[in-house]
């Protein structure tokens, strides 16, 4: 250990406690990763390489920083001392930075990380990389860790800890810029001093890093990796496992990627893109502000993470990078926002991502079904956000349908259209809070009777998707829970007109009795089993959409009263017609309305009164039955 010398500057350490959450993470890392010890090297080399990339980035504005240095990471095993040093000449850390980075976990993700823990060590081990707690993996193999670090513009600092809850910090004499992490290896982990083991691990985990990783053994220095940016290597040189290895480095995902696309574009604008479709979702997938997973490089220099300008939010599940030769090295987020080159790259990346998905859907339908389960609800946002790609995205949508009983959404719009009845004009759909609610909805009764298929939409976002999609293949979409002309005509029955005459008086009384709750009462052709159903007006907003907006606390200027449709063949409705007594009529009318509201998944204004009315009806019904049934 060459750099570690006791001096007066190092004489008075400050002793600090790790933040409580840090302690928890530390303990967890050490215990759950015990069977995956070797990953400590990947984590520390990755940090060292990141530090070099950061320096390279800062040196764009301040070329003096880099000077004549060539950036590298060196591994120095010292068998006599039992230590392994991982040293870089990257950005380094100031005292404040080291306290912040290694003593606390400032990231908001940490809380989520702790909440996500399953207690199953194999699963938890996978989470660790994803949440960026990589440095602590040093303590899996070391009972003491020393970090010596220096930023170009700040004094050097030394940090020591045994990972037991406290660390010491003091000044250091380190003269050169960068960071050295010295691991005092546990007796049982001395294998990590062997050059052959280090060589193997660097090849396995870090081969794709563009910074050279050099092994110093006292003899000739040996560069262990290719030291060439992964994506600049020709596709023909790269095997699937190379792509998977790079994916894991890039994303910290321990699972393989599902598919990827690696493209080099030359001509008008020049860039290389490498896009991956992950198998599983990050914990924050449904936060729309989440900026997506595309890194931007300019001429092989890392510029920024999560460059939101490179892919729209509905493709935020994609991971990967773009390396452009046409952007200035000092490009800022602001500059990216109105840049024509960026616009062009973005639209190419959108097309490429959709190509990948189409290819998966066509050639590996089971895998596409898995993708859909994980990311379908995000991709759907594209129907709303990206009119230019609406048709392509529409073909990628998958639906549940009244014609199948499977839980997995598998019906495409194309398949639906191909199955449409000869005289069917629209693509019918129903939105509901759950698949069970959808399948049992009274709205389906008339369509079932006529053998017409209805798509069942159960994601919240589906209300908006359906509203923006309008049509597919020239066929309009129609909500079966509305009074749209086409829905009414589809389920028209020949005896409806006669029923309208017979029930005219009853409908008028219903309309008056339920003033303020319904726009009107009408005879329904859509019901075979249920007595009544609530229907949105032809141009009104769907009832479910109204409910979602209300739950979200938005006031809704477009709210309109629904229409109450009654089934003239149902005994309850016939009974209503024969009820002259106003009080009884009103009871029954309210029960019909409340039942229809419940069947919609809606809430009752006064559930207690509903229960009282229903009980009254039951008791009345019971006492009208022969006594023998009661006994
Ligand atoms: P992550 O790399 O995901 O941010 P780590 O736990 O691996 O999480 O590292 C925490 C932070 O410590 C890093 O983000 C970085 O700021 C700092 N750090 C770690 N190693 C080094 C290093 N060799 N040089 C400079 N900074 C480092
Ligand atoms: Mg790290």
């Amino acid at each position: 250990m060459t750099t570690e010398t006791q001096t007066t500057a190092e004489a008075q350490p400050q002793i600090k406690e790790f933040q409580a959450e840090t302690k928890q993470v530390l303990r967890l890392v050490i215990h759950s990763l015990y069977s995956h010890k070797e990953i400590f090297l990947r984590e520390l080399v990755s940090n060292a390489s990141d530090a070099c990339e950061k320096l390279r980035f800062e040196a764009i504005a301040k070329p003096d920083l880099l000077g004549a240095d060539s950036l590298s990471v060196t591994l120095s095993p010292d068998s006599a001392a039992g230590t392994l040093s991982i040293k870089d000449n990257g950005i380094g850390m100031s005292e404040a930075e080291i306290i912040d980075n290694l003593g606390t976990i400032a990231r908001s993700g940490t809380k989520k990380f702790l909440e996500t823990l399953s207690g199953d060590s194999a699963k938890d081990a996978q989470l660790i990389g994803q949440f960026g707690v990589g440095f602590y993996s040093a303590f899996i193999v070391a009972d003491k860790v020393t970090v010596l670090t220096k930023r170009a513009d700040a004094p050097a600092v030394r940090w020591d800890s045994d990972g037991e809850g406290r660390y010491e910090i003091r000044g250091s004499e380190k003269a050169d810029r960068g960071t050295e992490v010295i691991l005092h290896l546990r007796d049982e982990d001395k294998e990590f001093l062997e050059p052959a083991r280090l060589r193997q691990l660097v090849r396995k985990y870090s081969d794709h890093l563009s910074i050279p990783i050099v092994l110093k053994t006292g003899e000739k220095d040996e560069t262990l990796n290719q030291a060439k940016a992964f994506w600049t290597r020709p596709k023909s040189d790269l095997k699937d496992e190379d792509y998977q290895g790079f994916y894991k480095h890039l994303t910290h995902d321990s699972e393989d990627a599902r598919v990827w696309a690696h493209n080099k574009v030359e001509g008008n604008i020049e860039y290389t893109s490498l896009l991956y479709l992950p198998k599983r979702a990050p914990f924050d997938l449904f936060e729309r502000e989440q900026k997506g997973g595309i890194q931007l490089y300019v001429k092989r220099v890392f510029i920024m993470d999560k460059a939101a300008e490179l892919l729209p939010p509905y493709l935020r599940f994609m991971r990967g990078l773009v390396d452009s030769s046409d952007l200035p090295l000092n490009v800022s987020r602001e500059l990216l926002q109105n840049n024509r080159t960026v616009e062009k790259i973005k639209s190419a990346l959108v097309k490429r991502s959709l190509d990948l998905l189409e290819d998966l859907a066509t050639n590996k339908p089971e895998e596409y079904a898995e993708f859909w389960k994980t990311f379908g609800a995000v991709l759907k946002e594209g129907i709303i956000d990206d009119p230019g790609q609406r048709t392509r995205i529409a073909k990628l949508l998958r639906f549940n349908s009244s014609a199948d009983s499977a839980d997995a959404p598998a019906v495409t719009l194309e398949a639906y259209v191909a199955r449409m009845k000869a005289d069917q004009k629209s693509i019918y759909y129903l939105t509901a809070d759950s698949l069970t609610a959808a399948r049992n909805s009274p709205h389906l009764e008339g369509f079932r009777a006529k053998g017409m298929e209805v798509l069942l939409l159960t994601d919240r976002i589906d209300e908006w998707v359906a509203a923006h999609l309008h049509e597919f293949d020239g066929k309009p979409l129609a909500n079966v829970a509305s009074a749209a002309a086409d829905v009414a005509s589809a389920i028209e029955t020949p005896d409806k007109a006669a029923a309208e005459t017979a029930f005219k008086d009853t409908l008028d009384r219903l309309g008056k009795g339920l003033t303020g709750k319904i726009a009107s009462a009408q005879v329904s052709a859509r019901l075979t089993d249920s007595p009544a159903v609530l229907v949105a007006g032809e141009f009104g907003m769907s009832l479910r959409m109204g409910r979602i907006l209300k739950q979200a606390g938005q006031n809704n200027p477009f709210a309109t009263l629904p229409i109450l449709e009654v089934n003239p063949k149902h005994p309850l409705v016939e009974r209503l017609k024969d009820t002259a007594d106003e009080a009884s009529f009103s009871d029954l009318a309210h029960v019909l309305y409340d039942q229809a509201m419940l069947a919609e998944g809606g809430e009752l204004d006064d559930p207690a009164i509903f229960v009282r009315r229903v009980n009254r009806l039951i008791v009345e019904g019971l006492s009208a039955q022969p006594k023998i049934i009661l006994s």
Side-chain angles (χ1 to χ4, degrees):
M1 210 180 313
T2 46
T3 339
E4 194 183 10
T5 44
Q6 284 294 71
T7 67
T8 41
E10 291 185 348
Q12 296 140 334
Q14 308 170 46
I15 299 175
K16 293 183 182 280
E17 288 266 327
F18 284 115
Q19 194 189 29
E21 284 180 340
T22 310
K23 276 190 215 168
Q24 207 176 338
V25 170
L26 244 164
R27 247 196 322 271
L28 188 111
V29 168
I30 294 169
H31 288 109
S32 61
L33 287 180
Y34 209 71
S35 51
H36 302 74
K37 286 183 176 186
E38 61 186 40
I39 65 133
F40 84 91
L41 192 68
R42 176 188 75 193
E43 295 299 324
L44 297 181
V45 167
S46 147
N47 285 350
S49 149
D50 286 352
C52 292
E53 299 281 4
K54 282 181 202 157
L55 184 89
R56 190 138 74 177
F57 179 67
E58 276 204 4
I60 297 167
K62 296 181 227 155
D64 298 352
L65 259 183
L66 196 53
D69 287 4
S70 62
L71 295 166
S72 70
V73 177
T74 50
L75 305 180
S76 312
D78 180 338
S79 307
T83 58
L84 174 65
S85 139
I86 296 121
K87 184 175 178 188
D88 64 69
N89 54 355
I91 189 89
M93 286 177 270
S94 65
E95 180 174 327
E97 284 169 331
I98 201 167
I99 292 172
D100 225 34
N101 293 333
L102 306 186
T104 64
I105 302 181
R107 273 169 275 256
S108 62
T110 308
K111 256 205 147 70
K112 287 230 171 77
F113 167 72
L114 292 170
E115 285 162 9
T116 329
L117 293 178
S118 63
D120 169 347
S121 64
K123 275 194 209 134
D124 292 346
Q126 296 187 343
L127 286 169
I128 285 164
Q130 224 181 336
F131 285 83
V133 286
F135 170 78
Y136 300 118
S137 64
F139 290 102
I140 311 172
V141 293
D143 48 20
K144 178 169 169 330
V145 176
T146 301
V147 181
L148 302 165
T149 185
K150 176 167 166 41
R151 270 192 82 105
D153 55 3
V157 197
R158 169 177 170 157
W159 182 101
D160 291 278
S161 177
D162 57 8
E164 298 285 344
R166 281 195 264 180
Y167 61 93
E168 293 177 8
I169 199 151
R170 62 190 107 177
S172 158
E173 295 281 280
K174 188 180 194 311
D176 46 349
R177 180 204 67 228
T179 302
E180 179 172 15
V181 178
I182 301 156
L183 308 176
H184 301 257
L185 296 176
R186 293 173 208 276
D187 285 339
E188 66 269 31
D189 296 317
K190 292 286 185 335
E191 64 184 88
F192 298 110
L193 295 172
E194 290 161 21
R197 186 83 168 108
L198 295 171
R199 226 175 261 131
Q200 176 225 352
L201 290 178
V202 170
R203 295 243 168 85
K204 178 167 175 189
Y205 291 118
S206 315
D207 200 29
H208 44 260
L209 296 177
S210 51
I211 307 284
I213 301 161
V214 180
L215 179 65
K216 271 194 195 308
T217 50
E219 294 157 35
K220 206 166 133 296
D221 291 358
E222 176 189 354
T223 301
L224 300 182
N225 61 334
Q226 299 247 2
K228 192 164 186 257
F230 178 81
W231 57 94
T232 60
R233 291 162 62 187
K235 269 161 111 164
S236 54
D237 280 9
L238 297 167
K239 296 198 278 292
D240 284 4
E241 64 221 54
D242 297 325
Y243 280 108
Q244 295 290 18
F246 184 67
Y247 169 75
K248 287 172 184 171
H249 158 73
L250 193 73
T251 59
H252 294 296
D253 193 348
S254 56
E255 179 106 36
D256 279 350
R258 200 178 287 288
V259 282
W260 56 88
H262 183 191
N263 297 85
K264 198 175 195 131
V265 178
E266 276 160 351
N268 224 348
I269 50 170
E270 292 191 5
Y271 66 91
T272 300
S273 66
L274 176 52
L275 293 176
Y276 287 97
L277 175 63
K279 281 190 180 163
R280 63 174 171 194
F283 65 93
D284 54 355
L285 179 68
F286 286 98
E287 291 167 20
R288 262 182 64 91
E289 322 77 77
Q290 204 255 91
K291 295 203 181 70
I294 307 299
Q295 293 187 342
L296 177 66
Y297 288 77
V298 173
K299 301 185 186 78
R300 266 149 308 291
V301 178
F302 173 78
I303 304 294
M304 68 180 76
D305 239 347
K306 303 189 173 186
E309 292 72 20
L310 293 174
L311 269 185
Y314 71 89
L315 291 171
R316 62 183 175 272
F317 49 81
M318 298 298 294
R319 291 286 176 268
L321 61 89
V322 169
D323 184 355
S324 158
S325 313
D326 297 317
L327 291 170
L329 274 166
N330 60 1
V331 67
S332 59
R333 284 201 192 263
E334 293 67 43
L335 213 135
L336 284 183
Q337 273 158 16
N338 293 308
N339 183 291
R340 285 183 51 95
T341 306
V342 172
E343 279 296 319
K344 282 188 189 147
I345 296 177
K346 177 179 179 178
S347 90
L349 296 190
V350 167
K351 293 204 177 79
R352 216 151 263 153
S353 304
L354 296 178
D355 286 345
L356 266 182
L357 295 177
E358 283 168 1
D359 188 55
L360 193 68
T362 314
N363 299 314
K364 295 179 184 161
E366 294 86 31
E367 287 214 38
Y368 188 78
E370 289 288 315
F371 154 78
W372 183 259
K373 214 161 53 186
T374 315
F375 298 118
V378 175
L379 182 64
K380 278 178 190 174
E381 294 171 14
I383 295 284
I384 302 158
D385 294 348
D386 195 348
Q389 301 294 344
R390 199 168 279 156
T391 312
R392 279 189 85 180
I393 300 169
K395 290 184 184 161
L396 289 166
L397 300 178
R398 295 293 180 269
F399 298 95
N400 284 108
S401 142
S402 61
D404 66 33
S405 55
D407 276 354
V411 176
T412 62
L413 289 169
E414 283 164 310
Y416 181 97
V417 168
R419 289 200 286 259
M420 276 168 68
K421 300 250 161 203
D423 58 348
Q424 186 178 337
K425 294 189 207 70
S426 306
I427 297 170
Y428 296 113
Y429 72 90
L430 172 69
T431 61
D433 292 336
S434 74
L435 202 51
T436 313
R439 290 202 195 284
N440 293 325
S441 168
H443 293 288
L444 291 186
E445 291 171 11
F447 287 84
R448 253 196 216 113
K450 294 230 161 180
M452 272 192 280
E453 182 175 2
V454 178
L455 299 175
L456 308 175
L457 280 55
T458 53
D459 280 334
R460 278 173 91 83
I461 191 180
D462 285 337
E463 295 288 341
W464 285 267
V465 172
H468 283 83
L469 190 53
H470 299 303
E471 57 103 38
F472 179 80
D473 196 14
K475 312 280 190 295
L477 267 76
N479 185 346
V480 300
S482 76
D486 179 45
V487 174
S489 69
I491 48 173
E492 198 66 67
T493 49
D495 43 7
K496 191 176 164 209
E500 271 166 353
T501 319
F503 280 82
K504 178 156 190 328
D505 186 40
T506 315
L507 297 174
D508 286 347
R509 285 172 77 196
L510 270 175
K512 284 199 200 85
L514 295 170
T515 305
K517 293 186 181 259
I518 61 171
S520 67
Q522 282 167 25
V523 163
S524 183
R526 70 183 84 216
L527 299 173
T528 57
D529 304 326
S530 306
V533 72
L534 288 170
V535 169
E538 174 160 14
F539 304 107
M541 177 185 285
S542 86
L543 300 181
R544 182 164 177 264
M545 173 87 109
R547 208 157 58 230
I548 291 174
L549 292 181
K550 195 170 155 195
Q551 281 164 2
Q554 293 187 19
N555 75 15
N556 173 7
F558 303 105
T560 50
L561 291 177
I563 298 161
L564 180 73
E565 287 194 3
V566 298
N567 176 359
K569 298 204 181 88
H570 197 281
L572 264 182
V573 178
E574 280 172 1
R575 163 99 174 262
L576 195 64
K577 182 163 173 273
D578 299 337
T579 303
D581 174 55
E582 279 310 323
S584 307
F585 184 93
S586 168
D587 255 11
L588 208 47
H590 278 93
V591 167
L592 276 187
Y593 169 85
D594 284 353
Q595 280 186 350
M597 184 58 99
L598 288 175
E600 283 304 304
E603 279 176 16
L604 302 184
D605 291 337
D606 193 340
I609 291 194
F610 171 73
V611 170
R612 219 175 298 152
R613 281 180 178 136
V614 168
N615 285 344
R616 209 144 62 205
L617 285 167
I618 294 173
V619 169
E620 230 178 86
L622 287 177
S623 54
Q625 301 289 325
K627 275 267 184 296
I628 198 148
I629 291 179
L630 279 176
S631 64

